[in-house]
Amino acid sequence: MEGKIHSLESFGTVDGPGIRFVVFMQGCPLRCLYCHNPDTWDSRGGAKYQLSPEELLAEVLRYKNFIAKGGVTVTGGEPLLQAEFLTAFFRLCREAGIHTALDTSGYICTPKALEVLDYVDLVLLDIKTIDPELHPRLTAVKLDNTLRFLDELEKRGVPVWIRHVIVPGLTDNDDALNKLAEYISRYKMVQKAELLPYHTMGAYKYEAQGIEYKLKDVEPLSAERLANAKEIFKKQGITV
């Protein structure tokens, strides 16, 4: 069994607690309008590495001293497209005493995907919007599975950090932010929310791949609007 891996980052600081070894898996069923890694979409090509779980762990262990207070984060793409590989890899990480984090949209909510959770210490769950009508416009898929996945995390007692990108004209409005904050405040396993300002730093990748970037006229989120969003979430008792 080999995992298709787009890239590796040995000193990640924004994908979970501490310094982390970050694995970017290849392939994603979503087509988020603001995705800054469109080069990870294609599950049939683009993988720089094809490694077994054991080979990937060996690479991680080269940095074990540096990530001792952090761990490993697997992101993408959508990592749960390769659920069996993930289960095997995270099991090895746990045996080696390495903290594991999974960054996912929760869209793949199959029995095999849920098996991965047996070996995950933290899930970074990307909720694009709580609006079931807007979600397909933003991502090309329905919202349902993401919320089902959050329910599973609550039921299994898996700690969660919610990730939410705030996009001017789409998700940057107080009503939508209040609804999302209120919704996730019901979950005991949600430890915090990471509110991420929309930016255009990945736009050049679309041009390089001949893909239209549909948000090219959208300005990055202002510091003021980000601060406003954080206040909304804090009022619901959510750490940001």
Side-chain angles (χ1 to χ4, degrees):
M1 178 169 51
E2 290 186 330
K4 294 180 180 179
I5 298 166
H6 175 271
S7 53
L8 302 170
E9 182 181 348
S10 53
F11 295 96
T13 57
V14 295
D15 295 291
I19 297 172
R20 308 188 71 81
F21 189 99
V22 185
V23 182
F24 294 85
M25 303 299 290
Q26 185 71 33
C28 187
L30 279 66
R31 294 294 180 266
C32 298
L33 295 181
Y34 48 78
C35 178
H36 56 276
N37 289 322
D39 42 339
T40 66
W41 286 352
D42 187 0
S43 59
R44 296 167 297 179
K48 185 176 180 180
Y49 307 96
Q50 291 201 190
L51 302 173
S52 70
E54 293 78 11
E55 288 170 334
L56 182 54
L57 179 68
E59 186 66 23
V60 170
L61 291 176
R62 293 174 55 202
Y63 303 91
K64 189 171 182 181
N65 289 340
F66 297 101
I67 63 171
K69 294 183 180 179
V72 169
T73 298
V74 181
T75 181
E78 173 47 66
L80 292 176
L81 273 179
Q82 303 183 61
E84 291 182 73
F85 173 85
L86 239 61
T87 297
F89 173 62
F90 278 153
R91 183 189 293 120
L92 292 173
C93 288
R94 179 157 291 183
E95 290 170 357
I98 298 171
H99 181 277
T100 57
L102 170 67
D103 180 13
T104 178
S105 68
Y107 175 68
I108 300 175
C109 197
T110 61
K112 284 188 177 180
L114 295 177
E115 284 178 21
V116 176
L117 299 179
D118 292 339
Y119 303 98
V120 170
D121 297 310
L122 173 69
V123 169
L124 311 175
L125 182 64
D126 303 305
I127 298 183
K128 317 298 181 177
T129 175
I130 204 69
D131 183 342
E133 294 184 5
L134 177 59
H135 200 273
R137 284 176 48 206
L138 279 180
T139 68
V141 301
K142 291 182 178 180
L143 170 64
D144 309 44
N145 279 4
T146 297
L147 302 185
R148 281 181 54 216
F149 199 86
L150 180 55
D151 288 341
E152 283 289 338
L153 296 173
E154 182 80 357
K155 185 169 72 175
R156 294 163 182 257
V158 180
V160 189
W161 291 5
I162 300 296
R163 285 184 150 180
H164 180 62
V165 179
I166 305 174
V167 186
L170 289 170
T171 57
D172 179 29
N173 70 77
D174 289 5
D175 183 54
L177 291 165
N178 269 301
K179 285 179 179 177
L180 176 57
E182 182 181 0
Y183 187 90
I184 66 173
S185 70
R186 308 168 192 166
Y187 290 83
K188 294 178 181 178
M189 297 312 299
V190 172
Q191 296 182 339
K192 66 184 290 188
E194 291 189 322
L195 302 177
L196 309 174
Y198 166 76
H199 61 73
T200 58
M201 288 186 286
Y204 72 94
K205 295 183 181 180
Y206 289 77
E207 184 176 351
Q209 294 189 83
I211 303 172
E212 180 188 2
Y213 186 62
K214 295 180 181 179
L215 300 183
K216 59 187 175 184
D217 296 323
V218 177
E219 294 293 323
L221 188 76
S222 69
E224 291 77 14
R225 290 302 296 171
L226 179 61
N228 171 74
K230 289 182 177 180
E231 283 305 312
I232 288 173
F233 277 68
K234 287 177 183 177
K235 286 177 182 177
Q236 291 288 347
I238 300 166
T239 301
V240 294

